[in-house]
């Protein structure tokens, strides 16, 4: 039996390595520069900070929370020995891929351990499959750094809730979305008071360091930096306007300020203005459902996964941005759902794998055709966005159906 377990672990690690090698290499050959953000944006930000220039999030307002600069700086340090061989850009790309793979490896090790149960093996295979289907965008974006933090934080919620809350909070200071898992945990885990203290301590620590570095008005700039942006073409709410673009009644234009393609059409601005309030209302409604279930005694393994996935799906579906790397956010809650409640995770897992594949077909494989509003990529993107709505519905349905056994008597 021990030999079988060892073989299973070895096979999983081999799959992990192969998937990361293939995905990393695909970034060099796929069209539309799927690694563009890493070398065109992250590397210059890191070089500026290290070279005495502007420090994003400190000396100037930034689109990301400030801890996002840390992995960019780490990749810059890892790239130094490779520069003579690969040049600045090539070295940074390789260093970024190595950094993401190393972080994923730590989380993968926590997931499978030495003798993984069947649910953990299935979750590991799902994770590998999702990365492979999503393609280079699963590695060459800052979101890839937050995924392993979310997985480890989620896995430790029951056994190490304080550490888990700290990890999820740190993840949210890199890219906001792990905050959805933290919110779900505060609802579903009974040690919520200790977790709240841990989250507050991490946040306070980050703020103190930033203030010491000279950040003041830029401290929460990531919350307001994108308020004036338009409707990105891949956003769920942009889908009807894409079909108008196919018929010539709307335009796709590039924003040099935000560095993305947006919809220009009648009513697009009105839709954009509604989305952020809608996101807030939807998140409150989903959280309220989860809170009612928690008060009525719902168990953590049944309550947390659908609540976490639903909140993450809300962030994507109601977002005026539709970046392909957003699909990375869905991997962590489904990995956790498989581990905690595998039987009911089958449909969400299949949906997320399909979403990853469709997203890769859109970006980077047919992105140029999408920018020309050609029929086939618009159709594929429409299907992807419809399935996002289906996933949200599936998550909420599972949340509503979580059994509540008795009123909770534990207060913290």
């Amino acid at each position: 039996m021990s030999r079988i377990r060892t073989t299973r672990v070895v096979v999983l690690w081999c799959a992990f390595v192969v998937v990361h090698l293939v995905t990393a290499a695909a970034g060099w050959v796929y069209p539309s520069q799927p690694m563009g953000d890493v070398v065109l944006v992250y590397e210059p930000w890191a070089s500026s900070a290290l070279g005495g220039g502007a420090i994003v999030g400190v000396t100037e307002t930034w689109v990301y929370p400030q801890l996002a600069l840390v992995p960019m700086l780490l990749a810059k340090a890892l790239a130094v020995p490779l520069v003579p061989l690969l040049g600045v850009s090539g070295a940074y790309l390789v260093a970024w891929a190595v950094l993401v793979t190393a972080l994923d490896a730590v989380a993968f090790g926590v997931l499978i351990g030495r003798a993984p149960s069947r649910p953990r093996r299935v979750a590991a295979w799902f994770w590998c499959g999702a990365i492979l289907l999503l393609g280079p965008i699963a590695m060459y974006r800052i979101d890839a750094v937050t995924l392993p933090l979310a997985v480890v934080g989620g896995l430790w919620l029951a056994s190490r809730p304080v550490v888990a809350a700290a990890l999820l909070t740190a993840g949210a200071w890199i890219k906001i979305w792990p905050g959805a898992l933290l919110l779900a945990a505060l609802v579903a885990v009974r040690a919520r008071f200790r977790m709240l203290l841990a989250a507050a301590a991490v946040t306070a620590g980050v703020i103190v360091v930033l203030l010491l570095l000279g950040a003041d008005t830029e401290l929460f700039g990531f919350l307001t930096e994108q308020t004036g942006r338009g409707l990105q073409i891949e956003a769920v709410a942009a889908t009807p306007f894409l079909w108008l673009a196919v018929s010539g009644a709307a335009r796709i234009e590039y924003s040099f300020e935000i560095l993305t393609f947006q919809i220009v059409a009648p009513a697009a601005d009105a839709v954009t203005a509604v989305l952020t309030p809608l996101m807030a209302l939807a998140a409150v409604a989903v959280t309220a459902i989860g809170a009612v279930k928690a008060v009525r005694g719902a168990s953590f393994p049944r309550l947390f996964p659908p609540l976490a996935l639903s909140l993450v799906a809300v962030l994507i579906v109601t977002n005026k941005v539709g970046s392909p790397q957003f699909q990375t956010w869905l991997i962590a809650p489904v990995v956790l759902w498989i581990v905690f409640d595998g039987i009911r995770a089958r449909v969400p897992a299949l949906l997320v794998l399909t979403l990853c594949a469709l997203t890769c077909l859109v970006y980077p494989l047919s992105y140029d055709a999408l920018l020309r509003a050609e029929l086939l990529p618009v159709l594929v993107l429409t299907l992807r966005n419809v399935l996002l709505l289906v996933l949200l519905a599936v998550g909420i349905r599972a949340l509503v159906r979580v059994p509540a056994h008795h009123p909770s008597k534990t207060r913290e």
Side-chain angles (χ1 to χ4, degrees):
M1 183 64 70
S2 61
R3 182 177 299 179
I4 294 175
R5 289 176 178 174
T6 301
T7 301
R8 287 170 175 169
V9 172
V10 170
V11 170
L12 282 170
W13 276 113
C14 288
F16 173 90
V17 172
V18 170
V19 163
H20 280 75
L21 285 174
V22 170
T23 304
W28 295 80
V29 297
Y30 276 15
S32 301
Q33 293 186 310
M35 304 184 298
D37 279 19
V38 175
V39 290
L40 299 178
V41 185
Y42 301 171
E43 193 280 330
W45 280 335
S47 294
S48 176
L50 293 173
I55 303 176
V56 286
V58 177
T59 62
E60 62 181 43
T61 304
W62 198 26
V63 71
Y64 296 135
Q66 286 84 346
L67 284 190
L69 187 60
V70 174
M72 298 175 191
L73 294 173
L74 287 175
K76 189 66 177 175
L78 290 173
V80 171
L82 303 174
V83 171
L85 181 63
L86 300 173
V88 174
S89 295
Y92 194 79
L93 282 170
V94 172
W96 184 268
V98 169
L99 175 63
V100 170
T101 301
L103 292 172
D104 278 357
V106 172
F108 200 76
V110 172
L111 174 62
I112 66 173
R114 295 183 179 180
S117 62
R118 186 178 184 279
R120 287 179 178 253
R121 296 197 305 272
V122 173
W125 282 114
F126 164 81
W127 188 357
C128 289
I131 291 175
L132 189 63
L133 290 172
L134 186 54
I137 205 71
M139 293 185 67
Y140 294 107
R141 290 295 187 273
I142 189 64
D143 308 71
V145 174
T146 57
L147 174 56
L149 290 175
V151 170
V152 175
L155 290 172
W156 284 353
L157 281 172
S159 59
R160 303 177 181 90
V162 172
V163 178
L167 287 174
L168 293 174
T169 305
W173 273 98
I174 296 173
K175 199 73 185 283
I176 294 174
W177 75 269
L181 271 64
L182 178 62
L183 177 58
L186 291 172
V187 170
V189 180
R190 292 189 175 183
R192 57 184 62 91
F193 182 69
R194 286 184 290 145
M195 291 174 59
L196 192 60
L197 287 178
V202 171
T203 297
V206 171
I207 291 175
V208 167
V209 170
L210 290 174
L211 290 175
L212 291 175
L213 290 173
D216 42 54
T217 58
E218 293 80 16
L219 197 60
F220 298 105
F222 61 92
L223 296 175
T224 59
E225 181 68 6
Q226 298 192 58
T227 53
R229 73 182 300 164
L231 189 61
Q232 189 181 1
I233 61 172
E234 295 150 275
V236 173
T239 306
F241 298 106
L242 274 182
W243 285 100
L244 290 178
V246 171
S247 65
R251 301 193 316 276
I252 296 173
E253 291 187 357
Y254 187 74
S255 169
F256 288 94
E257 181 181 357
I258 304 296
L259 305 179
T260 190
F261 289 92
Q262 300 181 163
I263 287 287
V264 178
D269 288 344
V271 171
T272 303
V274 167
L275 287 176
T276 300
L278 179 61
M279 179 188 294
L281 289 173
V284 168
V286 170
T287 304
I289 296 172
V292 169
K293 293 291 183 178
V295 168
R296 292 179 177 177
S299 66
F300 168 76
R302 286 296 303 271
L303 176 58
F304 174 75
L307 178 56
L309 181 64
S310 297
L311 286 172
V312 172
V314 163
L315 294 183
I316 298 174
V317 167
T318 59
N319 211 310
K320 56 186 173 182
V321 183
S323 299
Q325 62 266 26
F326 285 8
Q327 310 310 306
T328 310
W329 306 357
L330 298 170
I331 297 175
V334 174
V335 165
L336 298 172
W337 200 338
I338 294 171
V339 171
F340 296 141
D341 189 19
I343 294 177
R344 275 164 283 271
R346 292 174 182 173
V347 172
L350 289 173
L351 283 171
V352 170
L353 290 175
T354 304
L355 286 166
C356 288
L358 291 173
T359 298
C360 186
L361 288 176
V362 173
Y363 184 88
L365 296 181
S366 64
Y367 200 64
D368 288 343
L370 178 67
L371 297 179
R372 296 190 295 269
E374 293 183 9
L375 180 61
L376 184 57
V378 171
L379 185 61
V380 174
L381 181 56
T382 300
L383 177 59
R384 196 284 303 269
N385 288 345
V386 169
L387 285 182
L388 280 170
L389 291 168
V390 171
L391 180 67
L392 176 58
V394 167
I396 292 175
R397 179 175 180 267
L399 179 60
V400 170
R401 298 180 69 177
V402 169
H405 301 293
H406 54 77
S408 177
K409 297 180 181 180
T410 302
R411 294 178 179 264
E412 293 200 36

